[in-house]
């Protein structure tokens, strides 16, 4: 760019015995601890050639992203505001994610690809695709065509196998792994439409007694045929995933639903099990299907904190979502954790109630989580040094009860990039001291404008007067 030529070097640490250099997609499918995203970028003040060096193609991608963010264009001129640069860079945390729920409202493949492109620009690497829930089942699985046939909102609101493969490949080429989630045994009411014998308390009323939100309905986890169904469902879903991770959910299991279901109660009494023992059996048997196929389960925190010791394997990764203070409770169990606390990282909060007939209501996780709130998060708060080693990283989340393609970009961006910087840099600033939101604002403004240039409708952070005059509006 401008007077600069760029020399890009891959030093080849990801070359196999046959001399094959692993692609970005191949590296992205590796376990987290085997992914090398480090790079070195040198830009000299005299306009001579810039040099980017990395041990992997994925590292080169991250370096090229940084290189592009150094430059600006004014008319025909491409320039940088400062030089030289000598950057040695790598992420502090391996997991830098974003959850998108495509079950409450449907999002097209183009919506997903646009979101993944923004993630790439923010150096995020885990797209947590909450693809199905009680409201709809848009995922077409050839082994279970009836689930989407009866469970999708309409024939046009489904992800075909071609759609699914396209999203996975698009993400992988950009260094973004896809964590698919099929949440069980709760959040499964929609399965009743194709398999009514598998679901308890379907659309029971009042819904608030039987579910976190309408419609009610949970899998009859005590039944052998249901366990076999879920094992086969997981096999079908993971067969199209190149990565190592798969989320089985496990949150918000409603005990009233099972207490009033005659099928579940009959089996519990016949076998002498408690409900928590049945949850343990169901979870461990379905998780074993993942382990047998080379996948690692990811669960919500309830699987560790709310049902006693379920005996889950220590390899299981735990998403901490209810509150940031719960991270220590999970860390004490020895499980690796991903920070996803609703009090910092939930992007849907603060929009008012979506349940009708409560004019004075509010969203359950008020207030609105602005980017400075997210940026103030400390991933090591209250953790001992040994517990801190269990932190894989974190992610921001968009549950879409009040979002659809029309407001997707503006509710995600640039807010979601706040956590991207936290988990790339860590809680400490490279120049010393904690991360500082005031110092970060110009970088986020810069990213916002770059997103808009790429066709992503990121919302404004300040008046333009402030955006072009850093620190003036503090």
């Amino acid at each position: 760019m401008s007077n600069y030529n760029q020399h890009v070097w891959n030093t080849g640490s990801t070359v196999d015995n046959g001399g094959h250099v692993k692609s970005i997609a191949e590296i992205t499918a590796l376990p987290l601890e085997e992914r090398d995203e480090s790079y070195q970028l040198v830009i000299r003040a005299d306009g001579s050639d810039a040099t980017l060096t990395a041990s992997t193609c994925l590292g080169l991608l991250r370096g090229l992203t940084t290189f592009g963010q150094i430059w600006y264009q004014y008319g025909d001129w491409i320039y940088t505001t400062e030089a030289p640069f000598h950057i040695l860079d790598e992420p502090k945390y391996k997991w830098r994610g974003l959850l998108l729920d495509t079950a409450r409202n449907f999002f097209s493949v183009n919506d997903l690809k646009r979101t993944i492109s923004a993630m790439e620009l923010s150096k995020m690497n885990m797209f947590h695709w909450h693809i199905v829930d009680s409201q709809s089942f848009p995922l077409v699985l050839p082994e279970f065509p009836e689930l989407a046939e009866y469970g999708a909102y309409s024939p046009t609101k489904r992800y075909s196998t071609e759609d699914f493969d396209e999203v996975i490949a698009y993400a992988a080429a950009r260094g973004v792994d896809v964590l698919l989630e099929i949440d069980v045994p709760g959040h499964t009411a929609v399965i009743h439409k194709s398999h009514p014998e598998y679901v308890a308390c379907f659309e029971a009323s009042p819904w608030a007694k039987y579910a976190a939100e309408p419609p009610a309905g949970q899998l009859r986890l005590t039944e052998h045929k249901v366990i076999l169904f879920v094992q086969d469902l997981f096999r079908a879903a993971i067969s199209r995933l190149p990565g190592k991770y798969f989320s089985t959910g496990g949150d918000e299991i409603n005990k009233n639903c099972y207490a009033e279901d005659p099928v579940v109660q009959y089996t519990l009494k016949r076998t002498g099990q408690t409900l928590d023992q049945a949850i343990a059996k169901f979870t461990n048997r379905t998780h074993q299907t993942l382990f047998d196929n080379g996948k690692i389960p990811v669960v919500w925190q309830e699987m560790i904190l709310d049902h006693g010791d379920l005996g889950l394997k220590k390899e299981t990764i735990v998403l901490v979502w209810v509150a940031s203070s719960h991270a220590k409770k999970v860390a004490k169990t020895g499980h690796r954790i991903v920070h996803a606390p609703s009090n910092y990282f939930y992007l849907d909060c603060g929009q008012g109630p979506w349940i009708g007939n409560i004019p004075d209501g509010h969203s359950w996780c008020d207030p609105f989580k602005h980017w400075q709130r997210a940026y103030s998060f400390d991933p090591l708060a209250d953790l001992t040094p040994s517990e801190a080693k269990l932190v894989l990283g974190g992610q921001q989340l968009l549950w879409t009860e009040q979002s659809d393609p029309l407001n997707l970009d503006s509710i995600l961006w640039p807010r979601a990039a706040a956590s991207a910087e936290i988990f790339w840099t860590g809680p400490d600033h490279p120049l010393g001291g904690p991360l500082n939101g005031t110092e970060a604002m110009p970088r986020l403004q810069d990213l916002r404008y770059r997103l808009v240039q790429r066709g992503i409708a990121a919302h404004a952070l300040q008046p333009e007067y402030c955006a072009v005059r850093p620190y003036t509006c503090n």
Side-chain angles (χ1 to χ4, degrees):
M1 293 182 174
S2 188
N3 293 325
Y4 284 91
N5 294 314
Q6 187 176 15
H7 290 169
V8 178
W9 303 97
N10 184 337
T11 59
S13 71
T14 52
V15 179
D16 63 22
N17 292 333
H20 168 70
V21 177
K22 289 183 179 177
S23 67
I24 293 170
E26 289 173 313
I27 298 168
T28 300
L30 293 172
L32 286 168
E33 60 273 13
E34 297 180 25
R35 302 179 197 173
D36 184 354
E37 299 177 82
S38 64
Y39 65 91
Q40 179 178 207
L41 176 61
V42 178
I43 299 177
R44 298 169 180 85
D46 60 5
S48 58
D49 291 353
T51 303
L52 172 60
T53 307
S55 296
T56 69
C57 291
L58 183 56
L60 293 178
L61 176 66
R62 302 306 183 211
L64 285 169
T65 299
T66 297
F67 183 79
Q69 291 171 336
I70 288 171
W71 303 93
Y72 302 87
Q73 184 169 1
Y74 182 78
D76 294 333
W77 288 91
I78 296 175
Y79 66 95
T80 180
T81 58
E82 56 181 302
F85 291 95
H86 188 170
I87 300 170
L88 291 169
D89 198 15
E90 64 179 324
K92 177 71 174 178
Y93 295 103
K94 295 288 190 178
W95 189 301
R96 306 176 306 281
L98 174 66
L99 177 146
L100 180 62
D101 158 26
T102 62
R104 270 74 177 201
N105 281 305
F106 182 82
F107 297 84
S108 71
V109 168
N110 285 337
D111 294 327
L112 302 183
K113 290 167 71 173
R114 194 173 65 254
T115 299
I116 290 166
S117 293
M119 293 178 65
E120 178 196 6
L121 191 62
S122 307
K123 297 193 180 81
M124 301 172 89
N125 70 339
M126 295 294 289
F127 177 55
H128 184 165
W129 192 355
H130 187 89
I131 194 167
V132 299
D133 209 290
S134 279
Q135 291 82 2
S136 75
F137 200 109
L139 175 60
V140 176
L141 294 169
E143 300 86 345
F144 296 94
E146 72 279 6
L147 293 174
E149 180 181 355
Y150 294 102
Y153 284 131
S154 74
T156 62
K157 294 183 177 180
R158 298 174 184 167
Y159 300 110
S160 68
T161 54
E162 293 78 13
D163 293 335
F164 185 79
D165 291 347
E166 182 180 351
V167 172
I168 300 298
Y170 188 88
R174 288 154 181 78
V176 177
D177 195 2
V178 175
L179 173 70
L180 193 71
E181 178 174 347
I182 297 181
D183 195 351
V184 293
H187 294 271
T188 49
V190 70
I191 293 176
H192 183 277
K193 295 181 178 181
S194 54
H195 297 279
E197 71 278 15
Y198 292 169
V199 176
C201 70
F202 177 66
E203 293 187 345
S205 182
W207 64 262
K209 180 180 177 181
Y210 301 100
E213 62 182 51
Q218 299 181 159
L219 288 174
R220 286 175 166 145
L221 79 172
T222 53
E223 304 310 293
H224 181 64
K225 62 183 178 181
V226 171
I227 293 175
L228 294 178
F229 166 76
V230 173
Q231 289 175 324
D232 289 341
L233 178 61
F234 285 177
R235 286 190 194 95
I238 64 177
S239 69
R240 312 191 76 85
L241 292 172
K244 297 294 183 183
Y245 307 97
F246 181 84
S247 177
T248 65
D251 62 314
E252 297 180 329
I253 297 174
N254 186 287
K255 293 185 178 181
N256 290 329
C257 175
Y258 290 139
E260 298 183 19
D261 183 68
V263 174
V264 169
Q265 288 304 308
Y266 173 80
T267 302
L268 289 177
K269 291 175 183 178
R270 180 177 58 82
T271 60
Q273 294 182 98
T274 66
L275 179 59
D276 284 345
Q277 288 171 335
I279 292 172
K281 177 181 177 180
F282 172 88
T283 305
N284 282 292
R285 289 196 175 182
T286 53
H287 277 194
Q288 192 57 49
T289 299
L290 301 180
F291 285 116
D292 290 345
N293 287 274
K295 306 297 184 185
I296 296 173
V298 180
V299 299
W300 297 105
Q301 67 176 69
E302 289 95 323
M303 286 282 96
I304 301 299
L305 299 182
D306 288 7
H307 304 289
D309 183 1
L310 299 180
L312 302 189
K313 292 185 178 181
K314 291 302 181 185
E315 294 93 334
T316 305
I317 296 169
V318 182
L319 294 155
V320 179
W321 73 273
V322 176
S324 55
S325 59
H326 294 185
K328 188 171 185 66
K329 297 177 184 178
V330 175
K332 284 182 176 180
T333 70
H335 286 274
R336 292 176 295 171
I337 66 175
V338 172
H339 289 296
S342 60
N343 54 327
Y344 283 90
F345 291 158
Y346 270 37
L347 296 166
D348 51 302
C349 301
Q351 298 185 77
W354 62 270
I355 299 296
N357 197 31
I358 45 173
D360 297 324
H362 52 79
S363 67
W364 75 270
C365 54
D366 272 357
F368 181 84
K369 303 301 184 290
H370 55 83
W371 79 266
Q372 293 181 75
R373 170 65 176 173
Y375 198 76
S376 70
F377 180 74
D378 181 357
L380 303 181
D382 300 323
L383 300 180
T384 66
S386 60
E387 292 167 346
K389 294 178 182 178
L390 297 170
V391 177
L392 292 175
Q395 62 183 44
Q396 293 199 245
L397 309 91
L398 179 59
W399 303 103
T400 61
E401 288 90 347
Q402 294 174 285
S403 298
D404 66 10
L406 295 179
N407 71 338
L408 175 64
D409 290 2
S410 61
I411 201 166
L412 283 179
W413 307 106
R415 281 193 297 157
S419 66
E421 181 161 299
I422 292 171
F423 294 109
W424 182 279
T425 305
D428 299 320
H429 196 284
L431 299 179
L435 294 181
N436 183 298
T438 299
E439 186 262 348
M441 172 72 89
R443 288 195 299 280
L444 197 63
Q445 291 276 28
D446 187 281
L447 177 65
R448 185 259 170 178
Y449 280 97
R450 293 181 189 275
L451 289 168
V452 171
Q453 286 176 338
R454 296 189 181 203
I456 297 163
H459 73 82
L461 294 172
Q462 291 179 314
E464 186 173 342
Y465 173 88
C466 306
V468 299
R469 296 172 177 81
Y471 310 117
T472 299
C473 299
N474 291 343

